[in-house]
């Protein structure tokens, strides 16, 4: 809920309370970042190989302008009764779930970075290689950032 007297938030923005001697004043923070998110199953025995691939990916994406690149392995993701990270990728025995994301200035910026990444010779070398994960069970998508602190 918006505190009484605060101005309305702009689209893609949020209000952040700023402490002052008189109480809280709500300031508007405008977000425009765009995030690509990925969830993929990786065989535990191929973790080191996946990490090598991820380090190359990080270097390529950041070299072409991505703001942030993260690769995270599941630590506390129990199988759910209806849905969960393990169920979403049909996790098999001996596999682990990885959650990854790349941050860009905007969707337009993402499209520009991706064009450069896909044309990068370092990525083209991966085309024929045996990937250390099951890409058929990977899912991904692009997201607008609406709230950020």
């Amino acid at each position: 809920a918006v505190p009484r007297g605060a101005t309305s938030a702009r689209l893609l923005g949020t209000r952040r309370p700023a402490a002052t001697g008189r109480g809280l004043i709500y300031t508007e923070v405008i977000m425009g970042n765009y995030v690509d998110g990925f969830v993929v199953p990786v065989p535990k025995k191929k973790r080191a190989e996946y990490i090598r691939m991820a380090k190359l990916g990080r270097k390529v994406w950041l070299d072409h302008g991505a703001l942030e690149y993260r690769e995270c392995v599941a630590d506390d993701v129990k199988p759910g009764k209806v849905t969960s990270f393990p169920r979403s990728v049909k996790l098999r025995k001996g596999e682990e779930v990885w959650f990854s994301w790349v941050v860009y200035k905007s969707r337009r910026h993402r499209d520009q970075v991706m064009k450069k990444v896909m044309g990068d010779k370092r990525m083209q070398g991966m085309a024929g290689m045996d990937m250390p994960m099951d890409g058929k069970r990977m899912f991904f998508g692009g997201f607008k950032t609406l709230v950020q602190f």
Side-chain angles (χ1 to χ4, degrees):
V2 178
R4 225 168 95 167
T7 60
S8 61
R10 290 173 51 192
L11 185 61
L12 298 179
T14 184
R15 278 177 233 70
R16 179 183 306 186
T20 67
R22 297 182 188 169
L24 294 178
I25 295 176
Y26 280 75
T27 58
E28 195 171 83
V29 180
I30 303 301
M31 304 305 139
N33 288 357
Y34 197 79
V35 178
D36 278 338
F38 307 85
V39 178
V40 63
V42 176
K44 290 178 184 177
K45 65 183 180 184
K46 292 189 174 186
R47 179 189 265 198
E49 190 179 339
Y50 183 82
I51 290 171
R52 277 192 300 278
M53 185 185 76
K55 285 181 178 179
L56 172 61
R58 179 184 185 276
K59 176 132 182 65
V60 172
W61 260 264
L62 293 178
D63 284 353
H64 291 299
L67 304 178
E68 187 177 341
Y69 183 103
R70 299 282 178 114
E71 295 273 357
C72 308
V73 67
D75 179 58
D76 184 20
V77 291
K78 296 169 183 56
K81 292 182 180 181
V82 177
T83 189
S84 64
F85 279 99
R87 289 177 67 96
S88 69
V89 294
K90 299 179 181 170
L91 195 66
R92 298 176 184 153
K93 186 175 181 177
E95 292 180 331
E96 54 195 8
V97 178
W98 283 71
F99 173 58
S100 311
W101 72 91
V102 183
V103 179
Y104 309 92
K105 295 176 189 174
S106 64
R107 182 172 178 178
R108 181 175 177 214
H109 180 239
R110 186 274 308 257
D111 294 344
Q112 293 168 346
V113 169
M114 287 300 291
K115 185 175 182 179
K116 292 174 186 174
V117 166
M118 292 302 128
D120 191 297
K121 291 178 184 175
R122 295 171 288 181
M123 296 302 289
Q124 292 170 358
M126 295 172 133
M129 84 182 245
D130 182 29
M131 298 304 258
M133 84 283 194
D134 186 349
K136 292 178 184 174
R137 292 184 287 140
M138 174 175 71
F139 65 94
F140 56 91
F143 299 81
K144 295 178 190 177
T145 300
L146 295 181
V147 177
Q148 178 177 326
F149 291 96

